[in-house]
Amino acid sequence: MQIQGDTVRFSECDMAFVQKFGITAATEMVLDYTSVQPLPFLYDTYQAADFLRIGRRKLFYYWKNADTEYRAVTVRKKNGGVRRLFAPSDGLRALQTRILRHILQKLPLSKYATAYVPGSTLYANAAPHVGKRYLLKLDIKDFFGSIRFGQVYNAAFNTRYFPKQIGVLFTALCCREEVLPQGAPTSPALSNLVMRNFDDNLGKWCAAHGIAYTRYCDDMTFSADIPLYAVYQKAEAMLREMGFALNECKTRFVTNAVRQSVTGLTVNEKVSVSADYKRELRQEVYYALKFGLSDSIVHADRTDFMEGKTPNAEQYALHLLGKLRFVLQIEPQNKWFQTAYQKLAGRLKTAAADANAV
């Protein structure tokens, strides 16, 4: 299907739709829809298959067997625990990626959601909380695993956007065993869409009470110059109504008498990287520049950058450069880290040139 002004050129995949309604009515339906929605017009599975660039029979296969198209992946967390992800097969990932780019990323989000939003940063999540007397941090337990099939359908694929059959189809392609799988490319965007009404309603309530609110994935942050227990009760009740639960061991009420951090950034007086993080990074970069990347890997016992008995200096350099970029995103005028970044980038460039010359 191609749309140019008031003209619609139908393709072979649109024929069942055109035959059902007639060319005039079909054209009017398409133009009416696209005038109010920034989404592809998809009435039936012929059009859905064409949109997903897949054969209709193969599409039905993925629809019925999506649960089997994942493999479990275990990722170790910084605190020593593990996180279980579900990685979709290449075929299913391709379908999900197309849904993400051409549907999910075109739907509106709440201004209070700061994760998985193009252009948003950790700084944007932390900045509203600078200089507040009280800070409250909440964590949603098993966030992705608590988002159910019906919530995904209602938030992203409901009849406002697609006929029910197509909405159910897309929801099935994005869920695993009736919940949102952590590891699918569509899950982060879908989680924000599911939380949109929650974010907007709670954010409006907070604004009326002089409270700042942001949500970064499953991390919710509130700050104000008044005590925050009332917003804790409000948020907990609203989450419970949606089927979520708080991870109570991560609930934190913090005053400005101690360090207040939001997604790893200090917010007592300004948004900054914590002194401990910068001190450890300074030491790590200092040794890497003084003694060399490979020796630093060995002496620090960084087994995560060893390939057998050989240090992977390039990967370690990229790792350090990423940490330096993070600091400079928050503190762009920090001279020590600017210089360190330039020196380390120079070392990496020289090493790459030497390797290519061999």
Side-chain angles (χ1 to χ4, degrees):
M1 182 185 303
Q2 295 180 339
I3 303 172
Q4 295 179 334
D6 294 333
T7 302
V8 179
R9 289 187 172 86
F10 293 103
S11 303
E12 183 178 352
C13 68
D14 304 310
M15 288 303 100
F17 165 66
V18 172
Q19 290 172 5
K20 180 174 182 178
F21 294 99
I23 188 70
T24 301
T27 300
E28 290 178 354
M29 290 172 65
V30 172
L31 293 176
D32 287 346
Y33 178 83
T34 55
S35 69
V36 296
Q37 298 294 353
L39 305 176
F41 180 91
L42 302 172
Y43 179 79
D44 56 30
T45 56
Y46 294 96
Q47 293 171 327
D50 182 73
F51 163 72
L52 293 170
R53 297 178 178 174
I54 192 174
R56 191 160 170 261
R57 180 176 297 180
K58 192 69 173 178
L59 175 59
F60 284 131
Y61 167 82
Y62 280 115
W63 184 357
K64 296 178 180 179
N65 299 281
D67 288 352
T68 67
E69 292 292 311
Y70 293 86
R71 61 183 177 86
V73 179
T74 300
V75 178
R76 189 166 297 279
K77 298 191 287 187
K78 292 181 180 179
N79 63 8
V82 295
R83 176 181 289 111
R84 197 178 190 207
L85 308 180
F86 292 95
S89 66
D90 291 344
L92 182 57
R93 176 178 291 275
L95 304 185
Q96 292 171 341
T97 300
R98 190 152 176 81
I99 291 170
L100 172 66
R101 291 175 179 172
H102 297 280
I103 296 176
L104 304 182
Q105 290 181 345
K106 295 181 181 296
L107 297 177
L109 301 176
S110 171
K111 65 180 181 179
Y112 300 101
T114 58
Y116 319 125
V117 178
S120 188
T121 62
L122 289 175
Y123 183 96
N125 184 63
H129 307 290
V130 170
K132 302 296 178 59
R133 185 176 180 184
Y134 299 100
L135 186 76
L136 168 62
K137 299 194 293 184
L138 303 177
D139 179 89
I140 303 173
K141 186 177 182 181
D142 188 22
F143 181 50
F144 287 97
S146 298
I147 297 176
R148 301 180 300 279
F149 188 101
Q151 291 173 304
V152 173
Y153 172 82
N154 289 330
F157 304 120
N158 62 74
T159 53
R160 176 184 177 185
Y161 303 123
F162 303 106
K164 186 173 182 179
Q165 181 189 33
I166 304 303
V168 171
L169 164 64
F170 285 156
T171 305
L173 293 176
C174 295
C175 288
R176 176 187 176 274
E177 296 183 356
E178 300 289 312
V179 299
L180 210 54
Q182 188 172 6
T186 42
S187 292
L190 284 168
S191 71
N192 275 342
L193 291 167
V194 167
M195 295 295 288
R196 179 187 172 192
N197 288 339
F198 171 92
D199 287 335
D200 285 342
N201 291 334
L202 184 57
K204 183 178 179 180
W205 184 92
C206 286
H209 290 79
I211 300 170
Y213 164 59
T214 59
R215 182 181 58 81
Y216 194 89
C217 188
D218 55 357
D219 291 325
M220 306 168 63
T221 306
F222 306 87
S223 63
D225 292 323
I226 58 174
L228 295 169
Y229 188 69
V231 75
Y232 165 83
Q233 293 178 306
K234 178 80 172 177
E236 192 278 334
M238 290 176 65
L239 288 168
R240 183 167 13 97
E241 187 174 347
M242 292 180 67
F244 294 108
L246 288 175
N247 191 343
E248 294 291 1
C249 67
K250 292 186 177 181
T251 296
R252 297 286 186 272
F253 288 91
V254 188
T255 71
N256 60 359
V258 297
R259 175 177 173 258
Q260 295 174 320
S261 68
V262 177
T263 47
L265 300 176
T266 301
V267 296
N268 291 70
E269 298 178 358
K270 63 179 182 178
V271 179
S272 61
V273 181
S274 74
D276 289 343
Y277 185 95
K278 288 185 288 188
R279 182 171 56 252
E280 292 174 4
L281 182 56
R282 279 195 191 97
Q283 184 179 37
E284 198 172 3
V285 172
Y286 170 79
Y287 285 123
L289 291 173
K290 183 174 182 179
F291 300 108
L293 292 160
S294 294
D295 283 350
S296 296
I297 294 171
V298 174
H299 285 95
D301 194 26
R302 294 301 302 266
T303 57
D304 47 336
F305 293 101
M306 296 290 291
E307 295 180 353
K309 295 183 178 180
T310 304
N312 190 327
E314 180 181 359
Q315 287 300 315
Y316 186 50
L318 292 172
H319 165 74
L320 292 177
L321 286 170
K323 297 179 76 171
L324 289 169
R325 277 195 296 271
F326 168 69
V327 173
L328 290 171
Q329 283 178 348
I330 308 303
E331 303 178 23
Q333 304 306 317
N334 192 307
K335 297 296 185 183
W336 193 95
F337 285 96
Q338 286 179 350
T339 302
Y341 184 89
Q342 292 168 359
K343 288 181 178 179
L344 191 59
R347 291 280 184 92
L348 180 60
K349 185 177 181 180
T350 300
D354 291 343
N356 290 332
V358 173

